[in-house]
Amino acid sequence: MFKVSLLTSAHLEVLLSLRIDTSEPSVDGLNLAHGAQRNFRKAEDLVCTFFNITCVPQTNPSPVWTWSCQSDRCEKQLVVEGETAQALDACKLLCGEYRVLWPKPTGLVQLGTSIAIISQHAITAELSRSGRELSPKVAELFRGATKLFRDNVVDLGKGVGPIRSVGRSLLIEATITDTETASFKSNTDESYRLEISETTNGRINSSIVAATFFGFRHALETLLQLTIYNDVTQELQILDKALITDSPVFPHRGILLDTARNFISVESIKRTLNGMAASKLNTFHWHITDSHSFPFEVESYPQLTQYGAYTPSKVFTPADIRTVVEYARVRGVRVVPEFDAPAHVGEGWQWAGPNVTVCVKAEPWTSYCVEPPCGQLNPTNGTVYEILGEIYKEMFKLFDSDIFHMGGDEVNFNCWNSTEEIVTWLSNKGLGRQEEDFLELWDEFQTKALNKVEEANGGASLPIVLWTSGLTGKGHVEKYLDKERYIIQIWTTGSDELIGELVNKGYRIIVSNYDALYFDCGFGAWVGEGNNWCSPYIGWQKVYMNSPYDIVTNLGVNLTSDVRAQILGSEATLWTEQVDDSSVDGRLWPRSSAMAERLWSNPAESWREAEYRMLHHRERLVQRGVQPESLEPLWCLQNHGYCYL
Amino acid sequence: MFKVSLLTSAHLEVLLSLRIDTSEPSVDGLNLAHGAQRNFRKAEDLVCTFFNITCVPQTNPSPVWTWSCQSDRCEKQLVVEGETAQALDACKLLCGEYRVLWPKPTGLVQLGTSIAIISQHAITAELSRSGRELSPKVAELFRGATKLFRDNVVDLGKGVGPIRSVGRSLLIEATITDTETASFKSNTDESYRLEISETTNGRINSSIVAATFFGFRHALETLLQLTIYNDVTQELQILDKALITDSPVFPHRGILLDTARNFISVESIKRTLNGMAASKLNTFHWHITDSHSFPFEVESYPQLTQYGAYTPSKVFTPADIRTVVEYARVRGVRVVPEFDAPAHVGEGWQWAGPNVTVCVKAEPWTSYCVEPPCGQLNPTNGTVYEILGEIYKEMFKLFDSDIFHMGGDEVNFNCWNSTEEIVTWLSNKGLGRQEEDFLELWDEFQTKALNKVEEANGGASLPIVLWTSGLTGKGHVEKYLDKERYIIQIWTTGSDELIGELVNKGYRIIVSNYDALYFDCGFGAWVGEGNNWCSPYIGWQKVYMNSPYDIVTNLGVNLTSDVRAQILGSEATLWTEQVDDSSVDGRLWPRSSAMAERLWSNPAESWREAEYRMLHHRERLVQRGVQPESLEPLWCLQNHGYCYL
C-alpha cells in the first residue's frame, strides 16, 4: 500500500490518460484498450518507468500528403520527393483572412505569415508593470485562466502525438484595466487587444490589453486558436505576428440547459462550459427544475429534493452549484438561474400540502398541461410564497448573477379552473373564469413572487427575464410587465409578429426562436410516435444564419441604435425530454458554436464562407473534452472546397 | 517510483473508476470531479487506504417513494409510515409477463414471484458433470463469457451505490452440447433453456442447456436481466425461480458500421459490441473502407493506409482487428467484413498507378458519384485484381466469418464512360456505351473479383453478400447473380417491389430498408443546407415495427416456409458521414435494440406494449458502457403509463 504523497499528480494524470480497459483484466499482464495502447506508445517515459515496462516510441512513416495554401484554401497534394510535408493545421494557420479563428474578430485583424515553435514548458503569464495590482479575486481568476491556457496548449497534442519539448518561450503580458470586477455582468466590457510579436532575444511575446478579466480571457482563447500542434514535426507552433482588436456585437450569448426533465450531471455541465469558453459564449442559463424532477437542493427545505429528485444521487448540492459557478467564472461565463413558475412545477412539492401545487400528474394530461407530468403552483396559497422565498434566497446565495430568470411560460388556465380553492378566490375577488380573469390571477402570482425575489436579493430590484407567454400576449404585455424591469425571452418562431411588438414597445429581448435555437428538435416523438413536435432537426447552417437583427428588421422594425440596444442577444436552448449525460454534448455542439459566431461577429457572409472554419472549430471542441456531433466526413476538412452543393 | 508489480490491478481499477478530474489539479490536494466525489464516497475501503485519507460512507435518507405492481405496472406511491420502500427495479423484476426481459423470449416463460439476495463474491460457473469436455477454444469462451457475466453483475451497482457483500451463492451450471463450435456461423443454433431454482441448502442454481456456446451466452444475458442492483437495500438480487426456453426468429441480426467516411476507433467498436451482446444481436458488419479513407492496414500493401488513412493513428492494424474479432466472439457476435467495390473506392489507391482507380476526386462530383469524393476501380486494369486479391487474403486471415460482403452498390456508369481505357475496352469487346454494356463490364468485374475472394478463401466458395444495385435491378438480377451464391442486402425502401421480385426468384435477403434502418437519417445536410437526404429521423417505434415478414407480405409474397428461410434478417446501418467516436453510440442505441427485439422475437404486439421494457433496456445499455440516446424523461420510467398520446 502506498501513501498518496508518493504518487504525484503527474503519475495520476498519466495513469488516467491511459484509460486502461478493465473489462478484461484476465488477459496476461496489463490489458490496455486500443486507445490506451496508442496513448501508451505516445506517452512520456514517465509511464514506462512507472509501469516498469518497455515502451517503444511510435515513429510514423514520412507523410505522403502535404497541404499548401492556394487562393485561401489549403490544398492537399502529394509530397514531392526531397521536400517536406506541411501539416494541415500549419497550413490553415497561415491561410485565409481569418485563418481558423472562431468566432471571427470584429475589429482589426492583422495576421503574420510565419510560424514559431514554442516550448510547452516555457509558457508564462505576467501583468504588465505599468498596470495596477489586481484584487485578490481577479488575481485568482488571472492565475486560473492562464493555467487553463497552458493546459489547453499541451492538450493540443493529446491523442495525436508526443510534443517535442524544444522551442521558444511564450510570454503573455497582460494589462487589465478594471482590477476589481470578478463577476460577469450584463454590461461587462468583453473587448480585448491582442498583439503577438517576436522579441529581439527570440521570445514570443503576446501582449493582451483588456478592460476586464473577461476580455482578457477571450484574448487567451484567441491566442490559443493561433497555436497548433504540428503532427508532422511534433511541435507546438504559434503564429509569430498578429494584431487583433475584438469585441462582441451582442452582449448576451447563452446556452439554456434543462437539468430537470432528465438529470444532467455536473461533469456534463463542465463539458458544456468548456465548449462555451472555446466559443466565447458568456451566459449559462440553468433551467434547474421543472415538473418532472427537482434536483436543486434547498438547504431550508430538504424535502424538495427528497421528494423531487429522480434518485438521491441526481441532486445538485450547494457545493455542486458553487463548483459550477466558479468553473464557469474562470471561463468567462455567468451562470443565470431560472426558477420556472407558476407552471412547470410538480415533483418535489408533494410534502408541502394538498393545495400548494395543483393538477400534479393530472389525467388526462392533455387537458392540463403541454406534456406529462402536469403541475402548477396555486397563486392563492400563502405557503407557495413562503417556499418560493426560501428557494430564491438559496439561489441568490449560490449563484452570482445580475439578472434572474422567473420562467413564466405555458400556464394552463384549465388547471387553475379545475381547482376549487382558486375558483373561490376568483369569485371572492369579483372575477370571472375567462382568460382575462386568469391573467389577473397570474399577475397576482407574478407580483407576489417578484417581491420574494427582491427580498432574496437584499431588497434590491434587478432585471428579471420571463418567457413569452400569456402575460406577454399581443396587445397587453405592458399591462402586466414593466419594460424597465422585465427582459422577454422569445421562444416563438422568428417570424412571430409579437417580437416586433415587444421591441416597438421598448422591451429588451433575448432571442431563442424555436425554429432555429431549440436543439432538442428533430428526433422521435416521446409521447406517441412519429417525430417530435418541433421537427425537423435544425442544421448548423440555419443556426448560423439566425440573425437577431434580421429577425427584427424582417418584422418591419427600424434598426435604430435604441432598438439594437434592446436586442440583447440569443440563447440556444436544450430541453432534455430526450437528452441526458449520454447525448447532451452532441445536441449542443457544434451548433452552439455556430450561434456563437453569429452573436459575437454578426457576419455579413453566409454559412458557406464559415464552413471550413466551422469544421476546424468542431475538432477544437473535441480537444476541449466535448463530444460534438460530426458535421461532415473528415475528408471534407482535409479537402477544403470539395464538399459542396 | 513504484514497480508495476506493487500496484495490483484492483488498485488500478479503483483509481480509474474515480475518473479524477485533471483539469484543475492546482486546487489544494486531490481534486476530484463531482462524479468522482460520488464514486469516491461509494468506493471500497481500499481506495481510502490507498490515498491515505478518510472516507465518509454515503448514507442516503430513507426513500419517500415506493413502487408496487398493479395491473402489470409498477405504480409510484408514497411510503406509508412503518413500511419499507420497494425499489423500482425490484418491482419491475416481479411485475408483468416479461418483466424487463429484452428481447422477449420466444418459448416458455415461467417467472417466479420472489427475489433472492446474492453475493457478488459467490458467483461461480461450471459445466454439468454429465456433459462432454469442451474444446480448448470453447472452454476459453466459456470462461470469458462467465467472467463477463460476473463483471456485469457487479457493474449493476456502478454509479448508483455500494453493494453489500452478503447473500447467497449463485451457481451457473451449463450444458453445452456442441463442444467444438467456437465460430459463429449462419446456421449456428442460438437456442437455450434457462432454469433458475433454489437448492435445499439455499444456493441459487441457474441451469443452462444450450446447443452451442452462442446459445449459452444468450442465456447468460437473460440471467443477467433477471438480476438487479436494489438501490434501497443496496443488495444484488435475482429472481429465485424461472424457466425460459428461447431461440431467435431471424438468424441474421446485425449492425453495419462504416469506419471510413469518418474513422471509428476500436474503443467505440467495443462499446458497439457491448450493446449488441446486451441485445442478442449476432452480426457486426464492418464497412471498413470507402472512397473517403482507407483505414484497413493490409500488410502486403502498406501504401493503402499510408495514402488512405486520415491520419497515422486512424488505422486498424491486424492486431486491432484480431482484438475486435475476439472481443466480439465472446459476446456472441460474428464480424463480417465488407470490401466495397468497384465503386466506393478512392483514397488509398493513389500510389497504385493512374488507371487502377478512375474518377477519384472528380469534379463536379455530382456527375460521377453520389457524394464526394468520387472514385471507382477500373475493371479493365489487371493491377486492380492483384491488389484486391491481397486485400481479400488479409481479410480472410484476420476475420472469422462464413459469409463475405463484396459491397457492389452505386456504380456510376458516367465515371467509367469518361475513362479512355474503359471505353476502348468496351469497344474492343464489341460493346457499346449503354447501360447494358456497362452492366457487362460490371459483371466482368464481379466475376473476376469473386474468383479472388474464393482464392483468398483457400479455393472454397462461400456465400457472398451484395447490396441492391444495378446488378440486382428489376428483371435481370439472375443474369448476373446466382441465387445459390449471392445473398442480397436490401437498402431501398420497405415498399420497393424489387424486394418481392428477389424473394420470388429465390434469393436470400437481408433487410436494411433505409426508411427504417438507416440510422444516419434526419440530421442537417452535409453538402448544401437543409436536412440530409433520408430525413426525417427514424424513431425507435418505427424501427421496432419494421418487420421483415410484413415487408414481404405487403408486397404480395406468400410467406411459405421456404420464403421465411430466405429472409435471413436485418441489419441496422450506420453510415458515418456525420458520425464519429463522439456520436456513434447515440445513433446506434437504443434503436438497434428495438430492431433486436423485432428480429429475435418478431412480436405480434406494437411498440406501445414494448415501450416500458424498452426504457428499461436503454438504462441497461448505459450500465454496459454505451452512451445511448435518451428516449423520454426518466419520469416516464418511474411513472409507467403516464407518458402517452
Side-chain angles (χ1 to χ4, degrees):
Chain A
M1 211 61 80
F2 319 122
K3 292 229 160 51
V4 68
S5 58
L6 291 176
L7 198 67
T8 70
S9 67
H11 288 107
L12 283 174
E13 280 193 44
V14 170
L15 272 169
L16 293 159
S17 70
L18 291 174
R19 281 178 295 165
I20 290 172
D21 183 0
T22 55
S23 65
E24 288 185 348
S26 68
V27 179
D28 51 61
L30 275 167
N31 178 57
L32 301 180
H34 174 79
Q37 286 172 28
R38 293 209 183 283
N39 285 343
F40 206 92
R41 282 188 235 146
K42 292 165 192 168
E44 305 283 324
D45 282 348
L46 178 63
V47 191
C48 314
T49 316
F50 183 73
F51 282 108
N52 196 24
I53 55 175
T54 310
C55 293
V56 185
Q58 189 179 35
T59 49
N60 293 329
S62 299
V64 298
W65 297 108
T66 185
W67 281 266
S68 71
C69 184
Q70 290 166 21
S71 314
D72 287 351
R73 289 180 179 186
C74 289
E75 284 282 345
K76 185 181 167 192
Q77 297 164 321
L78 283 169
V79 174
V80 178
E81 188 157 343
E83 290 187 7
T84 53
Q86 172 159 246
L88 174 59
D89 280 0
C91 177
K92 288 196 283 189
L93 191 55
L94 296 170
C95 195
E97 187 181 353
Y98 291 98
R99 314 295 161 87
V100 285
L101 293 176
W102 191 281
K104 288 200 296 191
T106 55
L108 208 60
V109 180
Q110 296 172 356
L111 300 174
T113 53
S114 57
I115 277 175
I117 303 158
I118 56 169
S119 161
Q120 64 187 109
H121 302 301
I123 300 173
T124 51
E126 61 181 40
L127 291 168
S128 93
R129 273 160 230 150
S130 59
R132 283 182 304 143
E133 209 183 331
L134 302 179
S135 71
K137 184 69 191 167
V138 178
E140 190 192 322
L141 289 173
F142 176 80
R143 283 193 302 274
T146 50
K147 186 186 175 317
L148 263 180
F149 172 81
R150 280 192 299 270
D151 292 345
N152 285 329
V153 167
V154 173
D155 278 357
L156 292 172
K158 200 162 81 178
V160 191
I163 298 172
R164 294 199 186 176
S165 295
V166 291
R168 307 191 195 183
S169 59
L170 170 66
L171 172 69
I172 299 163
E173 198 187 25
T175 306
I176 299 175
T177 319
D178 176 346
T179 57
E180 297 295 327
T181 298
S183 298
F184 186 88
K185 295 192 189 310
S186 299
N187 63 357
T188 290
D189 185 337
E190 297 178 89
S191 69
Y192 67 88
R193 179 185 186 279
L194 167 67
E195 183 166 11
I196 306 177
S197 60
E198 211 176 332
T199 65
T200 47
N201 63 4
R203 190 179 70 198
I204 301 297
N205 208 44
S206 75
S207 152
I208 296 172
V209 180
T212 65
F213 163 76
F214 298 94
F216 167 73
R217 196 216 69 82
H218 291 325
L220 289 180
E221 292 292 344
T222 303
L223 186 62
L224 182 62
Q225 296 190 353
L226 298 175
T227 313
I228 62 159
Y229 172 74
N230 184 314
D231 61 358
V232 172
T233 63
Q234 303 188 324
E235 294 159 341
L236 290 175
Q237 301 181 334
I238 194 167
L239 204 61
D240 67 2
K241 209 168 164 52
L243 177 59
I244 293 171
T245 61
D246 198 8
S247 65
V249 172
F250 292 97
H252 192 103
R253 307 182 307 280
I255 284 179
L256 172 147
L257 186 61
D258 165 10
T259 60
R261 287 180 169 84
N262 273 305
F263 182 74
I264 307 288
S265 69
V266 170
E267 283 172 277
S268 293
I269 292 174
K270 284 183 173 178
R271 289 196 310 278
T272 304
L273 293 166
N274 291 350
M276 293 181 72
S279 309
K280 300 193 175 85
L281 292 167
N282 64 17
T283 299
F284 178 70
H285 171 173
W286 196 343
H287 184 90
I288 195 166
T289 62
D290 213 292
S291 61
H292 305 70
S293 79
F294 200 113
F296 172 53
E297 191 173 307
V298 178
E299 286 191 318
S300 46
Y301 287 116
Q303 305 98 317
L304 287 164
T305 41
Q306 204 187 347
Y307 282 72
Y310 276 132
T311 71
S313 64
K314 294 196 193 307
V315 159
F316 300 109
T317 65
D320 289 335
I321 291 170
R322 283 192 200 98
T323 299
V324 167
V325 169
E326 295 310 314
Y327 192 93
R329 189 196 303 277
V330 72
R331 286 162 179 79
V333 178
R334 164 185 58 174
V335 183
V336 176
E338 172 180 355
F339 189 82
D340 200 354
H344 291 283
V345 156
E347 294 287 346
W349 293 76
Q350 291 95 340
W351 54 277
N355 280 319
V356 174
T357 50
V358 295
C359 306
V360 175
K361 217 175 164 176
E363 287 285 333
W365 64 263
T366 42
S367 301
Y368 303 101
C369 61
V370 292
E371 69 182 42
C374 301
Q376 287 179 193
L377 293 175
N378 176 355
T380 71
N381 187 303
T383 308
V384 164
Y385 304 100
E386 252 174 63
I387 299 173
L388 273 184
E390 290 301 315
I391 292 171
Y392 295 148
K393 268 185 209 158
E394 188 77 8
M395 283 186 158
F396 277 88
K397 202 169 76 191
L398 295 171
F399 293 90
D400 178 24
S401 173
D402 62 327
I403 60 177
F404 189 79
H405 205 302
M406 292 181 71
D409 57 322
E410 298 182 319
V411 170
N412 184 301
F413 294 155
N414 192 48
C415 165
W416 279 343
N417 195 23
S418 67
T419 303
E420 201 182 318
E421 197 181 49
I422 292 174
V423 172
T424 307
W425 185 92
L426 286 169
S427 163
N428 290 345
K429 291 264 175 183
L431 293 167
R433 290 162 78 172
Q434 301 303 308
E435 188 178 333
E436 63 263 28
D437 305 306
F438 286 107
L439 282 171
E440 287 298 316
L441 177 65
W442 188 351
D443 185 40
E444 163 99 5
F445 170 82
Q446 184 57 35
T447 305
K448 283 188 174 167
L450 179 63
N451 283 339
K452 287 291 178 186
V453 167
E454 293 194 351
E455 211 176 293
N457 192 35
S461 76
L462 80 168
I464 300 295
V465 192
L466 279 183
W467 293 105
T468 45
S469 69
L471 286 188
T472 69
K474 280 177 193 150
H476 69 222
V477 55
E478 64 277 20
K479 188 174 166 193
Y480 304 109
L481 304 174
D482 174 5
K483 71 181 162 69
E484 303 304 325
R485 165 64 59 82
Y486 287 99
I487 298 165
I488 311 300
Q489 184 163 11
I490 313 285
W491 71 272
T492 57
T493 67
S495 55
D496 185 354
E497 290 177 4
L498 174 68
I499 303 172
E501 183 182 324
L502 289 170
V503 172
N504 284 331
K505 284 180 173 171
Y507 287 89
R508 287 162 292 169
I509 60 168
I510 296 163
V511 179
S512 295
N513 50 314
Y514 80 75
D515 51 354
L517 295 174
Y518 266 36
F519 288 175
D520 53 318
C521 303
F523 292 82
W526 66 273
V527 285
E529 56 196 324
N531 290 88
N532 65 17
W533 72 277
C534 55
S535 291
Y537 183 87
I538 301 158
W540 77 271
Q541 301 94 327
K542 190 166 186 180
V543 175
Y544 190 85
M545 299 309 287
N546 190 62
S547 154
Y549 287 162
D550 287 355
I551 284 175
V552 166
T553 52
N554 288 343
L555 289 162
V557 177
N558 193 357
L559 208 62
T560 63
S561 61
D562 280 356
V563 167
R564 281 175 197 265
Q566 284 170 244
I567 304 168
L568 303 182
S570 282
E571 285 179 11
T573 68
L574 187 52
W575 305 105
T576 54
E577 283 91 347
Q578 298 174 283
V579 177
D580 66 9
D581 284 337
S582 295
S583 47
V584 58
D585 289 22
R587 289 289 195 288
L588 284 174
W589 308 104
R591 292 185 292 172
S592 294
S593 300
M595 180 190 71
E597 176 151 302
R598 170 56 54 196
L599 296 177
W600 182 281
S601 324
N602 198 31
E605 300 78 22
S606 88
W607 63 267
R608 290 182 192 273
E609 282 71 38
E611 184 175 10
Y612 195 59
R613 283 184 301 109
M614 172 90 268
L615 294 183
H616 185 84
H617 189 66
R618 186 266 172 193
E619 299 306 314
R620 183 177 287 144
L621 292 169
V622 175
Q623 278 172 346
R624 299 289 279 266
V626 176
Q627 290 188 292
E629 286 284 343
S630 163
L631 299 176
E632 303 181 13
L634 191 52
W635 192 87
C636 302
L637 186 65
Q638 295 187 349
N639 295 272
H640 185 179
Y642 288 86
C643 297
Y644 62 87
L645 194 69
Chain B
M1 211 60 80
F2 318 122
K3 291 227 159 53
V4 68
S5 58
L6 291 176
L7 198 68
T8 70
S9 67
H11 287 108
L12 283 175
E13 279 192 45
V14 170
L15 271 170
L16 292 161
S17 70
L18 290 174
R19 281 180 294 164
I20 289 172
D21 182 0
T22 55
S23 66
E24 288 184 346
S26 70
V27 180
D28 52 325
L30 275 166
N31 179 55
L32 301 180
H34 174 79
Q37 287 171 26
R38 293 208 183 282
N39 286 342
F40 205 93
R41 284 187 234 146
K42 292 163 190 166
E44 305 282 325
D45 282 349
L46 178 63
V47 191
C48 315
T49 317
F50 182 74
F51 282 108
N52 195 26
I53 54 174
T54 311
C55 293
V56 184
Q58 189 179 36
T59 49
N60 293 330
S62 299
V64 298
W65 298 108
T66 185
W67 280 265
S68 72
C69 185
Q70 290 167 21
S71 314
D72 287 352
R73 290 180 179 186
C74 288
E75 285 280 346
K76 183 180 166 192
Q77 297 164 319
L78 282 168
V79 175
V80 177
E81 189 158 342
E83 289 187 7
T84 54
Q86 173 159 246
L88 174 59
D89 279 0
C91 177
K92 288 197 283 190
L93 190 56
L94 295 170
C95 195
E97 187 181 356
Y98 291 98
R99 314 296 161 88
V100 285
L101 293 176
W102 191 281
K104 289 200 296 191
T106 54
L108 209 60
V109 179
Q110 296 173 356
L111 301 173
T113 54
S114 56
I115 277 176
I117 303 160
I118 56 168
S119 162
Q120 64 187 109
H121 302 301
I123 301 173
T124 50
E126 62 181 41
L127 290 167
S128 93
R129 272 162 232 149
S130 60
R132 283 181 303 142
E133 209 184 333
L134 302 179
S135 71
K137 183 68 189 166
V138 177
E140 189 191 325
L141 288 173
F142 176 80
R143 283 192 302 274
T146 49
K147 185 188 177 316
L148 261 181
F149 172 81
R150 278 193 299 269
D151 292 346
N152 285 328
V153 167
V154 172
D155 278 356
L156 292 172
K158 201 162 81 177
V160 191
I163 298 171
R164 293 196 189 180
S165 295
V166 291
R168 307 189 194 185
S169 59
L170 170 65
L171 173 70
I172 299 163
E173 199 188 25
T175 306
I176 299 175
T177 320
D178 176 345
T179 58
E180 297 295 328
T181 297
S183 298
F184 186 88
K185 297 195 188 309
S186 300
N187 62 356
T188 291
D189 186 338
E190 298 177 90
S191 69
Y192 67 87
R193 180 186 185 281
L194 167 68
E195 183 165 13
I196 305 176
S197 60
E198 211 176 333
T199 65
T200 48
N201 62 3
R203 191 179 67 196
I204 301 299
N205 208 44
S206 76
S207 151
I208 297 173
V209 180
T212 66
F213 163 76
F214 299 95
F216 167 73
R217 196 217 67 84
H218 291 324
L220 289 180
E221 291 293 342
T222 303
L223 185 63
L224 182 62
Q225 296 190 356
L226 298 175
T227 312
I228 62 158
Y229 172 75
N230 184 315
D231 61 357
V232 172
T233 64
Q234 304 188 322
E235 294 160 341
L236 289 176
Q237 300 182 334
I238 195 166
L239 203 62
D240 67 2
K241 211 170 163 53
L243 177 59
I244 293 172
T245 61
D246 199 7
S247 65
V249 173
F250 292 98
H252 191 104
R253 308 182 306 281
I255 284 179
L256 171 148
L257 186 61
D258 165 12
T259 60
R261 288 181 170 84
N262 274 304
F263 183 75
I264 307 288
S265 69
V266 169
E267 283 173 277
S268 293
I269 292 173
K270 284 182 172 178
R271 288 196 311 279
T272 304
L273 293 165
N274 290 351
M276 293 180 72
S279 308
K280 299 192 175 89
L281 292 169
N282 64 15
T283 298
F284 178 70
H285 171 172
W286 196 343
H287 184 89
I288 195 167
T289 63
D290 212 291
S291 60
H292 305 70
S293 79
F294 200 114
F296 172 53
E297 191 172 306
V298 178
E299 286 190 318
S300 45
Y301 287 116
Q303 304 98 316
L304 287 164
T305 40
Q306 204 188 348
Y307 282 73
Y310 276 134
T311 70
S313 64
K314 294 194 192 309
V315 159
F316 299 109
T317 65
D320 289 335
I321 291 170
R322 283 192 200 97
T323 299
V324 167
V325 169
E326 294 310 315
Y327 192 94
R329 188 195 305 277
V330 72
R331 286 162 180 79
V333 178
R334 163 185 58 172
V335 183
V336 176
E338 171 181 355
F339 189 82
D340 200 353
H344 291 284
V345 156
E347 294 287 345
W349 292 76
Q350 291 95 339
W351 54 276
N355 280 319
V356 173
T357 50
V358 294
C359 307
V360 175
K361 216 176 166 177
E363 287 287 333
W365 65 264
T366 43
S367 300
Y368 304 100
C369 61
V370 293
E371 70 181 42
C374 301
Q376 286 179 193
L377 293 176
N378 176 355
T380 71
N381 186 304
T383 308
V384 164
Y385 304 99
E386 254 174 61
I387 300 174
L388 274 184
E390 290 300 316
I391 293 171
Y392 294 147
K393 268 185 209 158
E394 188 76 9
M395 284 185 157
F396 277 88
K397 202 168 75 190
L398 295 171
F399 293 91
D400 178 24
S401 173
D402 62 326
I403 60 176
F404 188 80
H405 205 301
M406 292 181 71
D409 56 323
E410 297 183 320
V411 170
N412 183 301
F413 293 155
N414 192 46
C415 165
W416 279 342
N417 195 24
S418 66
T419 302
E420 203 183 315
E421 196 180 50
I422 293 174
V423 172
T424 307
W425 185 92
L426 287 169
S427 164
N428 290 345
K429 292 263 174 185
L431 292 167
R433 292 161 77 172
Q434 301 302 308
E435 190 178 332
E436 63 262 29
D437 305 306
F438 286 106
L439 282 171
E440 287 299 316
L441 177 66
W442 188 351
D443 185 39
E444 163 97 5
F445 170 83
Q446 185 56 34
T447 306
K448 285 189 174 168
L450 179 63
N451 284 339
K452 288 290 178 186
V453 167
E454 293 194 351
E455 210 177 293
N457 192 36
S461 76
L462 80 170
I464 301 294
V465 191
L466 279 183
W467 293 104
T468 45
S469 70
L471 286 187
T472 69
K474 280 179 189 147
H476 69 223
V477 55
E478 64 276 21
K479 187 171 168 196
Y480 303 110
L481 304 174
D482 174 5
K483 71 181 162 67
E484 303 304 326
R485 164 66 58 84
Y486 287 99
I487 298 165
I488 311 299
Q489 185 163 10
I490 313 283
W491 71 272
T492 57
T493 68
S495 55
D496 185 355
E497 290 176 3
L498 174 68
I499 303 172
E501 182 182 325
L502 288 170
V503 172
N504 283 332
K505 285 182 172 169
Y507 287 89
R508 288 162 292 169
I509 61 168
I510 296 162
V511 179
S512 295
N513 51 314
Y514 79 75
D515 51 353
L517 295 174
Y518 266 36
F519 288 175
D520 54 317
C521 303
F523 293 81
W526 66 272
V527 285
E529 56 196 324
N531 290 89
N532 64 18
W533 74 275
C534 55
S535 292
Y537 183 87
I538 301 158
W540 77 271
Q541 302 93 328
K542 190 165 185 179
V543 175
Y544 190 85
M545 299 310 287
N546 190 62
S547 153
Y549 288 161
D550 288 354
I551 284 175
V552 166
T553 51
N554 288 342
L555 289 162
V557 177
N558 194 356
L559 209 62
T560 63
S561 63
D562 280 355
V563 167
R564 281 175 198 265
Q566 285 170 243
I567 305 169
L568 304 181
S570 283
E571 286 180 11
T573 68
L574 187 52
W575 305 105
T576 54
E577 283 90 347
Q578 298 175 282
V579 176
D580 66 8
D581 285 337
S582 296
S583 47
V584 58
D585 289 21
R587 290 288 194 287
L588 283 174
W589 308 103
R591 292 185 291 172
S592 294
S593 299
M595 180 190 71
E597 176 151 302
R598 171 55 53 195
L599 296 177
W600 182 282
S601 324
N602 198 30
E605 301 79 22
S606 87
W607 63 266
R608 290 180 192 274
E609 283 70 38
E611 183 175 10
Y612 196 57
R613 284 184 299 108
M614 172 89 268
L615 294 183
H616 185 85
H617 189 67
R618 186 267 173 192
E619 300 306 315
R620 183 177 287 144
L621 292 169
V622 175
Q623 278 172 346
R624 299 289 280 266
V626 175
Q627 290 188 292
E629 286 284 343
S630 163
L631 299 175
E632 302 181 14
L634 191 54
W635 192 87
C636 301
L637 186 66
Q638 295 188 350
N639 294 273
H640 185 179
Y642 288 86
C643 297
Y644 61 89
L645 194 70

